[in-house]
Amino acid sequence: QRSCASRASACACAGAMTAEGEEGAAEYESPLEDPPRRMSASELFEQLADGHAPHALDERGHDAMSGGTSSSDDEDASPMSAAEKLAEPPGQVKGRGTLPKVLLSLQDRRSRLVNRLRGQIDKVKRRAKQADAVKFQDKLMFTAGVFNFAMTCYLSGAQPAWIPHVYSAKFLCLIALRLYFYRKEKFGYFLLDFCYFANLVWLWYLWRLPDSIMLFRIAFAFANGPLGMAVVAWRNSLVFHSLDKITSLFIHIEPVLVSYVMRHVLPDQGQSGVRWRTGVPGEGWLDVCWDMIANGLLVYIAWQCAYYLKVQVLDKEKIKRRNRSTESRKYVTSFIFLRDQKSALGSMIRKAPRRHQHCAFAAIQLGCTVFMLLLAPLLYFSAHAHFAWLLFILGYSIWNGSCFYFEVFSARYQEQLRQLQISKNLADDLGAETAP
């Protein structure tokens, strides 16, 4: 009986608690008859872009963003009517603080993204404008290159006395430009090569020691030996629109022309009034060979020692440190350039042990220089042989230029302009889409 009585009492209590819970639930129902309307994503971003927070957020969405929990103070607060909720300031929800930071920062993030995109578009547009600039620059350089070639040929025949003056002026201008561009490209060590040194020997003879027959013979040997052979070794080409290729050809072939004009065209008394001694009466092969080969070799060895000291001793760690870094532009020297080429000279350098490759490169240079200096006396005494040598290296450079224009440049140039035009069209499309 006691068990039955206790069970009946428990059932009665449970029924009372259930009824009380239902009444409490009914008492705390929301006064809003219809659930609040959910905002679409476009409406949300429109309000954020205008600088206002959304006016209607459904309660469950706000709770989900704030962690899905509410404090005990919210449970004790009295229910809020729909009119009171709509009367609240934008961006505020009573009892919940400010709108979550992730929503408030969307406008700033959108602005930064649009600004970055517009910056990229402007950059692409600036690059696309280079298409017209590149074509104009190439046309201008081509015109100047053809004009220079024609004037040089004219002066050689009509006014040969002007050739040393024109050569000196062109050397100063072209080397100044090359110095500027090569320093930017980290090619400055090329300016320490022997070809530039040989040109300086010529300038020293023309304007400092014009009466030194020994210095003229040494300069003559350098011009027609190592410099003339460099046209073949470096594959110089007559490309009129390229300042770099025109400069490279100039420093190798122009001294050959100057030596031919001064030795076989001009008399000892120059027409410009400056006396250049280019020979002595009754000079023999022995004196000429001694000055060109023995004295010329001594001058070359002096340059080679100075070059080795600068590049392989004083700046060795500087070059290694730069070339091992992640910098995009690395130092390039003649040794590095020729070693990496797929040529007979590059193959000979690579066959040597790694630590002796610099010595192998210097030995190859010395051997080629001695061989070419041996041919210089023949050109000194024979005007026909000298003219044939000048014509050969000029024709070789013209052939290389034609190969470049028809096999390399035409396809590369069209592809470059096509890429620039694509970039320009892309920039126009993106600019139209992101315009305010």
Side-chain angles (χ1 to χ4, degrees), residues 2 7 14 63 76 86 110 124 136 153 178 197 199 236 273 282 293 313 333 335 337 345 355 362 371 424:
R2 289 184 193 147
R7 289 177 183 175
D63 289 342
D76 297 337
L86 293 176
R110 177 181 177 276
V124 172
F136 177 77
C153 294
R178 170 154 289 192
F197 174 78
N199 279 269
N236 291 151
I293 300 175
V313 178
T333 63
F335 164 73
F337 180 82
L345 183 57
R355 60 180 181 177
F371 174 76
K424 183 178 180 181

Side-chain angles (χ1 to χ4, degrees), residues 143-184:
T143 303
V146 175
F147 180 79
N148 170 68
F149 183 78
M151 288 302 298
T152 302
C153 294
Y154 169 77
L155 293 176
S156 299
Q159 297 291 337
W162 288 20
I163 289 295
H165 300 80
V166 175
Y167 158 75
S168 303
K170 288 194 293 185
F171 178 83
L172 295 177
C173 294
L174 292 177
I175 297 306
L177 291 173
R178 170 154 289 192
L179 178 62
Y180 171 75
F181 289 113
Y182 270 28
R183 283 182 63 87
K184 291 176 59 177

Side-chain angles (χ1 to χ4, degrees), residues 256-298:
V256 181
L257 174 64
V258 174
S259 65
Y260 173 79
V261 169
M262 296 188 67
R263 171 61 184 171
H264 301 293
V265 178
L266 288 178
D268 290 347
Q269 178 65 43
Q271 299 179 19
S272 62
V274 179
R275 181 177 181 83
W276 291 303
R277 292 189 63 194
T278 59
V280 294
E283 57 185 349
W285 280 78
L286 184 60
D287 295 335
V288 173
C289 290
W290 179 261
D291 285 339
M292 289 188 174
I293 300 175
N295 294 332
L297 195 57
L298 289 177

Side-chain angles (χ1 to χ4, degrees), residues 147-418:
F147 180 79
N148 170 68
F149 183 78
M151 288 302 298
T152 302
C153 294
Y154 169 77
L155 293 176
S156 299
Q159 297 291 337
W162 288 20
I163 289 295
H165 300 80
V166 175
Y167 158 75
S168 303
K170 288 194 293 185
F171 178 83
L172 295 177
C173 294
L174 292 177
I175 297 306
L177 291 173
R178 170 154 289 192
L179 178 62
Y180 171 75
F181 289 113
Y182 270 28
R183 283 182 63 87
K184 291 176 59 177
E185 298 293 333
K186 301 301 179 184
F187 291 164
Y189 285 101
F190 277 114
L191 300 177
L192 302 178
D193 287 350
F194 180 74
C195 53
Y196 298 93
F197 174 78
N199 279 269
L200 293 179
V201 172
W202 264 107
L203 292 178
W204 190 261
Y205 163 72
L206 289 174
W207 307 113
R208 297 296 298 175
L209 296 175
D211 58 343
S212 175
I213 185 62
M214 183 184 70
L215 187 58
F216 172 75
R217 290 170 179 172
I218 293 175
F220 184 98
F222 286 168
N224 294 279
L227 295 189
M229 192 62 191
V231 175
V232 180
W234 290 88
R235 295 182 58 84
N236 291 151
S237 53
L238 184 61
V239 178
F240 291 114
H241 77 280
S242 174
L243 178 64
D244 182 66
K245 293 184 180 298
I246 285 293
T247 304
S248 297
L249 181 62
F250 167 82
I251 62 177
H252 292 133
I253 200 174
E254 196 86 359
V256 181
L257 174 64
V258 174
S259 65
Y260 173 79
V261 169
M262 296 188 67
R263 171 61 184 171
H264 301 293
V265 178
L266 288 178
D268 290 347
Q269 178 65 43
Q271 299 179 19
S272 62
V274 179
R275 181 177 181 83
W276 291 303
R277 292 189 63 194
T278 59
V280 294
E283 57 185 349
W285 280 78
L286 184 60
D287 295 335
V288 173
C289 290
W290 179 261
D291 285 339
M292 289 188 174
I293 300 175
N295 294 332
L297 195 57
L298 289 177
V299 176
Y300 174 83
I301 293 176
W303 164 84
Q304 184 70 73
C305 293
Y307 180 86
Y308 185 87
L309 179 64
K310 172 63 176 175
V311 178
Q312 300 302 327
V313 178
L314 299 179
D315 292 354
K316 180 179 180 180
E317 295 301 323
K318 174 185 175 182
I319 296 173
K320 284 186 176 181
R321 184 168 57 252
R322 176 79 181 200
N323 292 352
R324 289 175 180 174
S325 65
T326 57
E327 296 287 342
S328 57
R329 301 189 186 280
K330 304 182 183 302
Y331 287 120
V332 181
T333 63
S334 297
F335 164 73
I336 297 175
F337 180 82
L338 292 175
R339 182 195 60 187
D340 298 338
Q341 269 194 339
K342 295 181 179 180
S343 60
L345 183 57
S347 178
M348 293 172 62
I349 296 174
R350 290 191 296 270
K351 286 181 180 179
R354 186 76 178 181
R355 60 180 181 177
H356 297 311
Q357 287 183 352
H358 286 95
C359 297
F361 173 65
I364 293 172
Q365 279 188 313
L366 179 61
C368 292
T369 301
V370 172
F371 174 76
M372 293 307 303
L373 289 179
L374 292 175
L375 299 179
L378 174 63
L379 307 180
Y380 184 84
F381 285 106
S382 174
H384 295 87
H386 198 176
F387 180 76
W389 172 242
L390 175 61
L391 193 63
F392 168 75
I393 58 178
L394 177 62
Y396 186 83
S397 65
I398 294 175
W399 173 258
N400 288 338
S402 66
C403 294
F404 176 82
Y405 273 119
F406 291 102
E407 296 178 6
V408 179
F409 175 75
S410 57
R412 182 189 300 174
Y413 193 75
Q414 292 298 327
E415 178 64 20
Q416 180 184 9
L417 293 180
R418 189 179 71 85

Side-chain angles (χ1 to χ4, degrees), residues 20-91:
E20 183 180 356
E22 291 175 355
E23 293 176 359
E27 180 182 357
Y28 283 93
E29 285 182 355
S30 173
L32 298 176
E33 295 180 359
D34 297 327
R37 184 178 64 86
R38 291 179 177 272
M39 298 178 62
S40 64
S42 61
E43 293 174 339
L44 176 62
F45 278 102
E46 286 178 2
Q47 292 194 19
L48 288 174
D50 294 337
H52 302 290
H55 299 305
L57 287 173
D58 107 293
E59 194 74 19
R60 287 172 296 176
H62 180 81
D63 289 342
M65 288 187 175
S66 59
T69 60
S70 60
S71 64
S72 59
D73 295 337
D74 294 335
E75 295 174 356
D76 297 337
S78 61
M80 184 185 300
S81 65
E84 291 174 344
K85 285 189 175 182
L86 293 176
E88 284 188 308

